[in-house]
Amino acid sequence: MSRSLRRIGVETFAVLASVVIFWIPLYFVLLTAMKSAPEASEMNLAWPSKIQLWQNVKEVVAFRDHMLLRAFWNSTVLTVLSLAAMVVVCSMAAFVIQRRNDRATPWISFFVLAGLIIPPAIVPTIWVLNEIHLFKTMIGLILVEVALGFPFCVMLYRGFMAAIPREIDEAAVVDGYGGYRLFFTIIFPLLQPVTATIVVTQAVFVFNDFTNPLYFFPGAKNATVQLTLYNFTSQFLSQWNLLFTDILLITIPPLLLFIFFNKKIVAGMTTGSVKG
Amino acid sequence: MTKVFKRIYTYNFLLPAAIVYTVIFIVPTVMSFFFSLTRWTLFKWDFIGLENFKTFFQEPSLSIGFKNTLIYAAVTCGLKVVAGLLLGVFLTGKIRTKDYLRSVVFFPVLVSTIAVGIAFGMMMHPTTGLINTTLALFGIEGPDWLGDTRIALLSVAAVDVWKGVGLATVIYIAGILAIPEEYSEALQIDGGNAWNKFWNITVPLSRPAANAVIILAFIGGLRSFDLIWAMTKGGPGFATDVIASIIYKQYQGGFYGLATAGNVILFLFVTAIVYPLSRYLTRKEVDL
């Protein structure tokens, strides 16, 4: 009896702690986004005298010639194209890396692992992008995202590929399949679960990425949502309500992914990190 | 491997990835060693030897980055390891709100770092911020979390832990759930209690998870940039400047050679610490 009482006590405490530690900051963001500028500057948890969330949303969206809309468009394009490229390029690479086993294999593994550890060299990357005329372009930024996501994706794909029996390949070859047909019509569809994991995990990463757009995609026209949020901090100095409305808006996409794909994201992040 | 399969598993599949990875990642990494020895404007370079590195070590506003980076990485990593383990054990126990708590703890991992930095920056405001006004209710006068040079770095580190502990927790949960039941059954027969179970089963047998958390958190801590930049921009003064933020400042100032030297130092820092650390940790793993 006393034992189960204690258990209930501990659990109640944990739930309360979670409310204080995790819900209050979220609630604070939501409240501030609903307030008027003077009320928001008081920075408290008081209920707004007038809820003006919709008005704030309209104001933030219209700010600086609808900068935020362009940012959302850029971020969407960046995320979708980076993911499409990552999935195709990394699954193909993992196919060969996992299936072949020759003198090059340890070297390839070494380079993949290095990519997980080594911090990217920033200015030399700008130099390379500049030389191939891709600096400050969407394609350049997408290539950066693909290159930096490559080690993680290859590891996940390779781990999953190991469970696909080689007999399938052999049967296909007997039936006269070539490498490309084997991969694209048989193997790639079988990778669907891990592809889904990669898509949702990397979507969150790329959408939330701040550092790479900051360095490789500068310029007013090139804003991504994270860059606009950062730039708004100096432009909305006395309008915290608008700043927090922006926070609210850019949290919606990851929130949706979280609600629908929580399990997949957790699975992707745990297997990805333990294998590394 | 037969000839047929060499043709089937052609290296052409690897080609797109290899090109992108080489051009965007490997070439810049290799070239960074050269450009760190130059005064550089992207279009023109002058070889100046180790001058940039000397500047980095002699200039107090730059060398403070080494200390701060190490402190930041050690503090965030240590807290994530301990808090992640405790939360992991708690959330694999017999509790009813398991799913709710797991989701709540994990959610901040998916929120934009910049957003988290801005929100906490406001809550840490010395006079009107939520944290200090709450402390004032209990008669405690809270410090200036981000304005006091002695604690600013630790304040940012605490927010980093808030945001990142969810990842550590789910890794631990996966590791703890992988421990076979027989161990705890055997312990129960021997009359062990929950404390014995924690120290003699959970901690040693969740080692692979712990190692993953340590390595991941440590690398993340050493490379950390966006949260610090969103919250303090390296200030007050240089109190929260880490190597990554110094690289950005030098880049903004047009000192490309110096910024690249910072990158090389960060590279050496990370490999010099992480490589031996991971060797050491994997040697101590036990097989289930």
Side-chain angles (χ1 to χ4, degrees):
Chain A
M1 180 61 196
S2 75
R3 219 171 164 190
S4 66
L5 258 182
R6 211 177 71 188
R7 186 169 284 157
I8 291 171
V10 169
E11 200 169 338
T12 315
F13 174 77
V15 172
L16 283 177
S18 80
V19 170
V20 172
I21 297 171
F22 293 102
W23 281 107
I24 288 187
L26 290 175
Y27 179 65
F28 175 63
V29 170
L30 186 66
L31 266 187
T32 312
M34 298 194 300
K35 289 178 176 175
S36 64
E39 280 185 339
S41 65
E42 283 167 18
M43 304 185 188
N44 55 23
L45 287 179
W47 190 255
S49 58
K50 183 171 142 273
I51 294 176
Q52 53 167 36
L53 178 62
W54 183 237
Q55 191 191 326
N56 287 346
V57 169
K58 278 193 290 192
E59 226 173 297
V60 165
V61 170
F63 183 69
R64 282 191 62 192
D65 201 14
H66 297 88
M67 169 89 119
L68 195 60
L69 290 185
R70 193 186 300 138
F72 261 101
W73 169 249
N74 282 341
S75 282
T76 312
V77 171
L78 172 68
T79 310
V80 171
L81 293 185
S82 300
L83 280 164
M86 240 184 254
V87 164
V88 175
V89 165
C90 299
S91 63
M92 285 182 358
F95 175 58
V96 179
I97 295 172
Q98 197 273 322
R99 287 304 203 237
R100 273 184 100 110
N101 203 350
D102 53 27
R103 266 177 307 169
T105 313
W107 283 101
I108 294 171
S109 305
F110 169 79
F111 277 113
V112 171
L113 202 62
L116 287 175
I117 298 172
I118 297 172
I122 309 247
V123 192
T125 310
I126 292 178
W127 174 72
V128 166
L129 288 173
N130 202 34
E131 292 288 304
I132 54 178
H133 304 292
L134 290 177
F135 182 45
K136 298 188 192 177
T137 65
M138 178 62 87
I139 297 179
L141 184 57
I142 290 170
L143 291 180
V144 170
E145 299 289 358
V146 172
L148 299 185
F150 167 76
F152 176 82
C153 298
V154 160
M155 245 168 33
L156 281 190
Y157 270 127
R158 189 156 74 167
F160 194 85
M161 197 101 59
I164 298 177
R166 267 165 203 270
E167 283 76 24
I168 292 182
D169 304 14
E170 283 157 19
V173 170
V174 171
D175 283 350
Y177 277 51
Y180 297 102
R181 201 159 143 225
L182 163 67
F183 178 75
F184 286 107
T185 62
I186 299 175
I187 304 291
F188 187 73
L190 288 175
L191 294 172
Q192 193 265 331
V194 73
T195 301
T197 308
I198 286 176
V199 167
V200 286
T201 338
Q202 291 294 312
V204 176
F205 274 132
V206 176
F207 187 82
N208 281 342
D209 188 10
F210 169 70
T211 315
N212 292 316
L214 178 72
Y215 277 116
F216 307 118
F217 204 49
K221 284 215 164 113
N222 293 346
T224 66
V225 287
Q226 307 302 331
L227 287 181
T228 49
L229 176 59
Y230 174 72
N231 290 330
F232 284 174
T233 53
S234 51
Q235 287 154 355
F236 289 153
L237 274 181
S238 53
Q239 291 167 296
W240 294 99
N241 54 337
L242 298 187
L243 191 63
F244 278 62
T245 306
D246 191 16
I247 292 183
L248 206 60
L249 289 178
I250 73 169
T251 310
I252 292 172
L255 179 67
L256 290 178
L257 282 177
F258 174 70
I259 291 171
F260 291 112
F261 303 107
N262 183 8
K263 290 244 159 67
K264 277 245 167 267
I265 297 176
V266 170
M269 289 195 177
T270 44
T271 45
S273 49
V274 174
K275 289 225 180 72
Chain B
M1 201 163 29
T2 63
K3 256 214 168 106
V4 182
F5 277 99
K6 267 209 174 124
R7 200 166 42 79
I8 296 287
Y9 305 136
T10 160
Y11 271 121
N12 288 347
F13 278 115
L14 194 60
L15 213 54
I19 291 172
V20 174
Y21 193 60
T22 308
V23 172
I24 306 288
F25 184 74
I26 296 177
V27 169
T29 304
V30 174
M31 289 307 281
S32 69
F33 284 89
F34 170 72
F35 284 125
S36 67
L37 304 173
T38 65
R39 192 175 290 122
W40 184 32
T41 63
L42 278 195
F43 305 104
K44 185 169 146 293
W45 51 265
D46 293 312
F47 190 81
I48 54 168
L50 292 172
E51 209 54 46
N52 288 326
F53 292 93
K54 246 191 236 160
T55 315
F56 237 102
F57 285 98
Q58 282 167 355
E59 191 71 43
S61 65
L62 301 179
S63 60
I64 192 173
F66 302 131
K67 196 183 81 185
N68 286 345
T69 307
L70 269 185
I71 294 175
Y72 189 84
V75 169
T76 51
C77 176
L79 288 175
K80 282 176 194 170
V81 170
V82 174
L85 173 63
L86 296 180
L87 282 168
V89 170
F90 182 66
L91 294 179
T92 47
K94 286 189 195 111
I95 53 169
R96 252 172 282 172
T97 46
K98 207 185 299 191
D99 288 340
Y100 156 76
L101 286 171
R102 282 187 193 179
S103 304
V104 168
V105 171
F106 186 70
F107 181 62
V109 174
L110 304 179
V111 179
S112 142
T113 313
I114 302 299
V116 169
I118 293 171
F120 271 92
M122 204 165 158
M123 296 199 311
M124 287 177 167
H125 189 282
T127 48
T128 47
L130 211 51
I131 296 178
N132 279 1
T133 47
T134 311
L135 287 176
L137 292 181
F138 300 97
I140 305 167
E141 197 190 328
D144 186 353
W145 299 100
L146 298 171
D148 186 334
T149 50
R150 286 165 303 174
I151 58 164
L153 189 65
L154 297 178
S155 304
V156 182
V159 178
D160 192 315
V161 173
W162 180 87
K163 182 171 163 32
V165 75
L167 184 57
T169 306
V170 294
I171 294 173
Y172 266 117
I173 288 176
I176 291 170
L177 291 179
I179 300 173
E181 274 297 313
E182 289 89 58
Y183 289 97
S184 24
E185 281 161 17
L187 186 101
Q188 243 162 17
I189 293 165
D190 291 345
N193 58 23
W195 186 246
N196 297 132
K197 186 181 164 190
F198 177 74
W199 274 118
N200 299 326
I201 293 179
T202 312
V203 171
L205 293 182
S206 63
R207 260 231 114 94
N211 293 347
V213 172
I214 294 172
I215 297 289
L216 212 64
F218 210 83
I219 296 176
L222 289 174
R223 292 162 55 157
S224 182
F225 168 70
D226 35 11
L227 186 67
I228 295 172
W229 197 250
M231 292 187 78
T232 64
K233 293 198 173 64
F238 303 101
T240 56
D241 252 330
V242 292
I243 299 178
S245 68
I246 290 171
I247 292 172
Y248 183 63
K249 283 182 177 174
Q250 299 309 321
Y251 164 71
Q252 271 188 316
F255 303 108
Y256 294 163
L258 199 56
T260 309
N263 246 141
V264 170
I265 291 170
L266 188 57
F267 170 98
L268 297 175
F269 235 62
V270 173
T271 40
I273 296 172
V274 171
Y275 183 69
L277 185 66
S278 76
R279 287 289 294 262
Y280 172 76
L281 290 174
T282 36
R283 230 182 323 150
K284 296 195 85 176
E285 272 178 26
V286 269
D287 289 321
L288 290 179

